[in-house]
Amino acid sequence: MLFNTLQFAVFLAIVFSLYIILRNKFRAQNLMLLVASYIFYGAWDWRFLSLLFISTVIDYFCAIKISDAPNERTRKIFIFLTVGSNLVILGFFKYFGFFVSSMTALLNHFGLNVSAPVLNIVLPVGISFYTFQSMSYTLDVYNKKLEPTRSLPDFALYVSYFPQLVAGPIERATHLLPQVLKPRIMTREGFYEGSYLIFWGLFEKVFIADNLAKIADPIFSASAPYAGINVLIGVYAFAFQILCDFDGYSNIARGLGKIMGFDIMVNFNLPYFSTNPGEFWKRWHISLSTWLKDYLYIPLGGNRHGSFMTYRNLAITMLLGGLWHGAQWTFVIWGAYHGILLIVYRLIKPLLKYLPQYGEKGGFVIKCVNMFIFFHLVCLGWLMFRAQSFGQFKDMLMSLFVNFKFVSENPLGLEIYWLCFFIALLVLIQVWQYIKNDLMVLYRSNAVIKTVVYVIMMLALTLYGVTNGQEFIYFRF
Amino acid sequence: MDRNSFISGFKTLPWCCISAVVIFLGINFALSGAKPFWRFCYLYSDPYIDDSIRLGAKFALIDKNSKKDKIFIIGASQAREDFDVDEINREIEPYNMEVFNLGISAGQPIDMVMLKDKFLSYKPKAFIYVTYLGDFYTKFKYTKMKYYFNPAILPYFAKNMGYRVFVENFPHFVDSFLSMPSVIYKYREPLKRIIDTRIKYFLKKETRAAPLQFKYDRSLSKLYFMREILLYRQTQKSYFDEAPATGFNMLMFDKFIGEMIGSGQDMTVLKAPTHPLFKLTYNPVHNAPFEGFLKEEHSKYGYDYLDFDAMKIFNQEDFIDFVHLNVDGRAKLTRIVKKVLETKRS
């Protein structure tokens, strides 16, 4: 069930009505939300509900066992059990085919003729998101940051809460679980803010992302040779498509939560305004980057054991971060690329203070130049991410840097104009958000501006909104 | 107390959102009555795929206050394609009449019932309803329903097709309701094409072709006819077959004719000419009930009825495909309709 479908609108109307009817009984609200969340997830494939349930039950009981454990050994046994079982489920459904085919290819490369067993494993939607969310709970209990809950339905709701179940944000138990365990307050302001976030999220998804997909998809599905100008447009289109697709989903999730009195974390904070890789990862998919930092980078040692170990830890974290996105070498390379960017930035950072200072105005210009350069480094990463194979990535890279052509055999139609048209309002609003340092700047702006922008958005959605329920990109991760 | 809380609640209403919705609806309302907008749409639309917006434009551009007697040619694509309205209008000018071609691709009697109030709001003098087997023996196109939607049709859907039809076609019914207050939403697909085309011309990415009046200007090869007949013989599957809405369409045809004649309209029904080999492309068992139905309706209401298949005026060379006339055929039929109108006036 996708947020941008009529089916979901009907589902939501029923859920909200029941939620309001049960407003004085939060336990009953929780139960209703749990049932609704399972229906929401089961709408994709009811068989995968068992995986969600198994993951929930294991983590629930293991967390209690960890908390009640008489000694460190028992605690360790249960944390290994819970983390291990989650990773086994995730590994089997997401990475089994990838590892088998990669291993087979490697063995064949060395002359050992091995044929891979054929297993058609269907990837359960959102498995990476809820597995990480559920794991964060037991890890926090293990690290004594959180007391385990003794109510299975409440915990199950924390894992499966439908607004953020299939594509995040990956909420921490320390943030979301306490909200599940106490009555929520639904306010008029929460309803308005939530509705605004849903509207803006839908605009990002249905107007921007889905229309940019129509520009990017044909370029990436074409075969070589590529014209540099086409690749450039394709990459720019994809850069904004993936931002609006994912940010749109996160905003809708936050909006739905807000209406019900839940506070769901901000997942994107103007990432294309970053001037360096460290800042980018503080702004892009914040829930995943902080998860990786807290549960992988820091446990590996973080930056506490010297430069070499810091670089190693960064590389491991980013490689696994890349692999989290999907069982494909292009994702691994994308992760490695961002790891390299982070390492290189750490290496050159001490030298940057020796650069001449240009005062306030000059500093602003330098900042804009940095943003421009770093945006293009991010776009290079998106080329790896979006390419259908390593071969395609290599060919496209060559067309950009070695043999750039402004004219292609497949001449451009209006793609460049449409690209500008679809991102124009987003860019204007994001610049405004950045200057005011407020993601809700439009919502809080004066009545005339707000009304005019709303009318423009309505007209744009009415005319160009893609209404056939395009899937969100991050569902496949 | 109550009063104060009411005032405070009133102040905290989302006024920007409400104003935006009002302005948005206002823009839609203004566009729906703006003749330049409709002229623009008609000029840059393609008769091949945009006939929904072209019908909207034709309606918008009809002069409601004209003193001439309005005659509407209605029905499916045959109504749109088989007549040269400009030619008819030139000839019948002395009779103070004006003919409007309001044919729509795949339009069925259900669509005609939905459009009935719209037709009558222009106070026409007479109707020429062009019908053929496909009006009854093809699937109803729910995807196009929003262009002609009138909620008054819903009880008839429920009665004749059962409530399941609303569940099975829920998005189309919702789409139809959403389209009612917004001309932009209703015609979003053709509008997008029109804007795209206009920009291409403006940027000189494409050269503008001469505006088309008819979809079918090219002749199909003889192979096309043979292939279609062979295909039916081999597969026994045809585009023309008993459909879930066949009976419903017959009822709606009866309702439409009955109500039109009841409201004093001069009605002429034409059974559209079809290619002599057309009957080889579908199951012949449908012929008898269809022809029987038309005869029954004719004797029930006593309207003028012309069966061109029975008259055998048209031969193979007059057709572009099985169910549409080419330029020669169009000229023949136009002459006949002209005479019919002259006879009526005299």
Side-chain angles (χ1 to χ4, degrees):
Chain A
M1 208 187 296
L2 301 166
F3 285 169
N4 48 336
T5 57
L6 197 59
Q7 194 189 12
F8 181 74
V10 174
F11 167 83
L12 199 61
I14 297 167
V15 170
F16 276 169
S17 306
L18 291 172
Y19 195 78
I20 291 166
I21 292 167
L22 300 170
R23 63 186 173 280
N24 296 322
K25 299 166 190 160
F26 88 96
R27 292 271 172 213
Q29 274 184 333
N30 284 0
L31 275 177
M32 184 277 293
L33 283 178
L34 178 63
V35 173
S37 299
Y38 270 65
I39 291 170
F40 175 82
Y41 192 71
W44 269 283
D45 192 331
W46 61 269
R47 290 170 302 175
F48 293 138
L49 281 173
S50 57
L51 288 180
L52 179 64
F53 185 70
I54 289 167
S55 205
T56 305
V57 169
I58 292 174
D59 289 338
Y60 171 75
F61 284 109
C62 285
I64 291 174
K65 290 287 177 193
I66 290 166
S67 174
D68 297 347
N71 53 49
E72 192 57 28
R73 190 170 167 271
T74 317
R75 277 164 43 82
K76 278 192 173 150
I77 288 171
F78 281 104
I79 193 70
F80 276 119
L81 180 66
T82 175
V83 172
S85 57
N86 276 307
L87 291 180
V88 164
I89 292 172
L90 183 63
F92 179 76
F93 282 93
K94 192 160 177 175
Y95 301 105
F96 183 78
F98 171 67
F99 281 122
V100 168
S101 61
S102 299
M103 196 55 78
T104 311
L106 186 71
L107 292 174
N108 286 336
H109 182 73
F110 288 109
L112 299 162
N113 285 330
V114 182
S115 58
V118 180
L119 278 178
N120 290 321
I121 303 166
V122 181
L123 178 69
V125 65
I127 190 168
S128 313
F129 287 93
Y130 72 72
T131 304
F132 270 39
Q133 179 155 320
S134 190
M135 271 166 63
S136 80
Y137 166 75
T138 43
L139 287 167
D140 281 349
V141 170
Y142 179 76
N143 291 327
K144 297 183 178 167
K145 288 181 184 167
L146 187 73
E147 278 296 308
T149 174
R150 306 279 161 170
S151 161
L152 181 59
D154 288 342
F155 176 68
L157 175 60
Y158 155 71
V159 178
S160 65
Y161 183 47
F162 73 87
Q164 41 85 245
L165 171 61
V166 287
I170 304 164
E171 278 289 349
R172 300 299 180 76
T174 45
H175 182 236
L176 187 61
L177 195 55
Q179 299 181 59
V180 172
L181 297 174
K182 63 174 196 217
R184 274 84 49 181
I185 301 164
M186 292 168 75
T187 62
R188 187 196 295 252
E189 192 52 33
F191 178 78
Y192 292 164
E193 273 189 42
S195 304
Y196 166 79
L197 283 169
I198 293 170
F199 183 47
W200 178 247
L202 275 175
F203 179 78
E204 285 185 289
K205 167 66 182 162
V206 174
F207 175 71
I208 306 174
D210 289 349
N211 280 304
L212 292 180
K214 290 181 191 169
I215 299 174
D217 289 352
I219 293 171
F220 282 96
S221 55
S223 48
Y226 304 101
I229 187 74
N230 281 5
V231 176
L232 202 58
I233 289 171
V235 173
Y236 283 150
F238 182 69
F240 285 98
Q241 181 202 346
I242 195 164
L243 170 70
C244 291
D245 193 282
F246 202 5
D247 188 34
Y249 185 94
S250 302
N251 279 329
I252 297 170
R254 286 181 60 216
L256 292 170
K258 229 171 198 46
I259 290 175
M260 290 187 262
F262 284 94
D263 175 42
I264 293 176
M265 69 180 290
V266 172
N267 211 14
F268 291 85
N269 184 13
L270 313 172
Y272 292 156
F273 288 81
S274 309
T275 54
N276 62 67
E279 189 185 356
F280 178 76
W281 284 104
K282 281 181 187 139
R283 290 174 176 275
W284 179 272
H285 202 174
I286 299 165
S287 64
L288 176 69
S289 54
T290 50
W291 197 102
L292 290 171
K293 186 185 87 185
D294 292 346
Y295 301 112
L296 189 60
Y297 177 69
I298 291 172
L300 282 170
N303 58 3
R304 287 164 299 177
H305 304 292
S307 299
F308 176 76
M309 290 302 279
T310 305
Y311 301 147
R312 185 207 69 164
N313 296 340
L314 277 173
I316 293 172
T317 306
M318 293 316 291
L319 269 175
L320 290 175
L323 195 60
W324 176 90
H325 285 81
Q328 238 173 273
W329 282 110
T330 47
F331 293 134
V332 180
I333 295 165
W334 175 76
Y337 169 73
H338 273 280
I340 291 166
L341 285 182
L342 283 164
I343 292 166
V344 171
Y345 181 69
R346 272 184 172 266
L347 282 169
I348 62 165
K349 200 176 170 185
L351 305 173
L352 295 177
K353 64 182 174 197
Y354 297 114
L355 288 174
Q357 304 296 310
Y358 293 96
E360 202 175 304
K361 277 186 185 170
F364 173 74
V365 174
I366 296 284
K367 197 173 186 180
C368 290
V369 171
N370 282 346
M371 277 178 197
F372 180 81
I373 294 169
F374 189 69
F375 171 70
H376 284 84
L377 288 173
V378 171
C379 283
L380 190 60
W382 291 136
L383 186 62
M384 300 167 202
F385 193 92
R386 180 63 180 83
Q388 286 170 339
S389 65
F390 188 70
Q392 189 188 40
F393 166 64
K394 205 175 71 185
D395 290 338
M396 287 188 154
L397 204 62
M398 295 295 276
S399 74
L400 277 178
F401 293 106
V402 181
N403 188 22
F404 192 88
K405 281 182 190 164
F406 273 102
V407 182
S408 70
E409 284 173 12
N410 303 314
L412 284 167
L414 300 174
E415 285 84 352
I416 197 157
Y417 303 98
W418 286 127
L419 174 64
C420 297
F421 173 73
F422 288 122
I423 66 170
L425 189 64
L426 176 87
V427 171
L428 283 176
I429 288 183
Q430 289 211 335
V431 168
W432 191 17
Q433 287 173 323
Y434 184 76
I435 291 167
K436 295 282 179 189
N437 193 23
D438 180 6
L439 291 177
M440 298 292 280
V441 67
L442 174 63
Y443 178 75
R444 286 189 251 274
S445 68
N446 81 54
V448 176
I449 296 175
K450 203 154 73 168
T451 307
V452 170
V453 176
Y454 284 176
V455 172
I456 294 171
M457 284 167 72
M458 278 185 205
L459 289 171
L461 275 173
T462 310
L463 193 54
Y464 283 101
V466 178
T467 52
N468 57 350
Q470 295 287 311
E471 201 169 74
F472 289 83
I473 296 175
Y474 265 68
F475 279 15
R476 61 187 93 135
F477 299 148
Chain B
M1 180 73 179
D2 281 339
R3 191 177 172 151
N4 283 341
S5 47
F6 168 75
I7 291 168
S8 117
F10 185 77
K11 276 183 182 169
T12 53
L13 280 175
W15 285 110
C16 292
C17 183
I18 294 168
S19 320
V21 172
V22 170
I23 295 170
F24 171 77
L25 292 175
I27 292 171
N28 278 282
F29 181 74
L31 277 181
S32 65
K35 293 206 172 180
F37 166 73
W38 290 110
R39 254 184 230 115
F40 173 83
C41 292
Y42 193 78
L43 194 64
Y44 290 102
S45 56
D46 180 350
Y48 187 72
I49 38 180
D50 297 332
D51 80 331
S52 55
I53 200 167
R54 288 170 77 86
L55 180 76
K58 282 177 190 172
F59 272 128
L61 296 172
I62 294 173
D63 179 6
K64 275 191 174 178
N65 302 317
S66 164
K67 296 215 170 92
K68 287 184 177 175
D69 292 341
K70 298 179 193 79
I71 293 149
F72 288 174
I73 299 179
I74 59 168
S77 55
Q78 288 84 357
R80 193 191 64 200
E81 295 292 324
D82 292 358
F83 306 89
D84 188 338
V85 170
D86 292 340
E87 172 68 17
I88 299 174
N89 279 332
R90 267 193 299 275
E91 296 287 326
I92 61 168
E93 207 175 358
Y95 300 104
N96 198 36
M97 292 193 286
E98 190 173 5
V99 175
F100 296 91
N101 193 329
L102 303 174
I104 44 174
S105 189
Q108 295 190 351
I110 298 170
D111 299 308
M112 297 304 128
V113 171
M114 289 196 283
L115 285 167
K116 190 197 74 186
D117 295 342
K118 182 102 179 159
F119 290 142
L120 291 177
S121 70
Y122 290 89
K123 298 189 178 71
K125 205 76 180 168
F127 281 87
I128 297 174
Y129 189 161
V130 185
T131 187
Y132 85 120
L133 182 112
D135 288 359
F136 304 89
Y137 290 89
T138 54
K139 284 179 186 157
F140 179 68
K141 290 192 167 52
Y142 289 94
T143 46
K144 291 185 79 181
M145 184 171 60
K146 66 176 178 179
Y147 298 123
Y148 323 116
F149 186 65
N150 180 345
I153 197 76
L154 296 178
Y156 298 101
F157 263 111
K159 195 177 167 191
N160 295 288
M161 305 285 285
Y163 284 96
R164 267 185 78 87
V165 75
F166 299 122
V167 179
E168 285 164 0
N169 300 287
F170 186 60
H172 302 304
F173 281 98
V174 172
D175 219 24
S176 301
F177 273 104
L178 290 176
S179 297
M180 287 174 72
S182 173
V183 72
I184 300 175
Y185 184 75
K186 185 194 275 191
Y187 296 114
R188 61 204 297 267
E189 294 306 329
L191 275 175
K192 278 194 282 188
R193 279 193 292 269
I194 290 166
I195 293 169
D196 202 59
T197 311
R198 193 67 194 88
I199 295 172
K200 277 180 187 161
Y201 295 156
F202 179 74
L203 296 170
K204 297 191 175 15
K205 295 264 177 194
E206 259 178 36
T207 323
R208 189 180 165 189
L212 290 170
Q213 185 74 16
F214 301 101
K215 169 186 168 185
Y216 303 105
D217 270 16
R218 288 173 295 111
S219 288
L220 291 168
S221 73
K222 283 187 179 164
L223 270 174
Y224 165 80
F225 296 96
M226 300 314 296
R227 200 175 54 229
E228 291 295 302
I229 293 166
L230 270 174
L231 192 70
Y232 174 67
R233 276 193 190 158
Q234 283 165 2
T235 63
Q236 294 295 301
K237 281 180 187 163
S238 172
Y239 179 68
F240 304 96
D241 212 338
E242 181 90 27
T246 297
F248 183 30
N249 263 317
M250 288 182 169
L251 276 168
M252 289 300 99
F253 183 88
D254 180 78
K255 178 180 159 60
F256 181 76
I257 299 285
E259 289 184 5
M260 284 297 189
I261 288 175
S263 65
Q265 294 296 322
D266 182 352
M267 195 61 129
T268 304
V269 175
L270 305 186
K271 187 171 160 232
T274 52
H275 193 282
L277 300 177
F278 175 51
K279 288 184 177 173
L280 299 177
T281 64
Y282 61 87
N283 193 338
V285 297
H286 302 316
N287 288 324
F290 168 64
E291 279 158 20
F293 170 74
L294 285 186
K295 279 177 190 156
E296 204 177 289
E297 288 290 299
H298 177 220
S299 54
K300 183 175 172 186
Y301 293 109
Y303 50 69
D304 295 332
Y305 178 58
L306 295 172
D307 180 348
F308 288 105
D309 284 344
M311 287 187 224
K312 300 200 185 303
I313 300 168
F314 296 92
N315 51 44
Q316 294 193 16
E317 283 69 42
D318 292 325
F319 289 88
I320 198 153
D321 59 16
F322 283 109
V323 292
H324 297 98
L325 296 170
N326 61 20
V327 181
D328 297 337
R330 190 182 299 146
K332 264 189 199 176
L333 187 57
T334 301
R335 276 197 297 276
I336 296 167
V337 170
K338 220 161 55 188
K339 275 186 190 155
V340 170
L341 291 172
E342 283 167 356
T343 316
K344 273 181 187 281
R345 180 51 93 185
S346 60

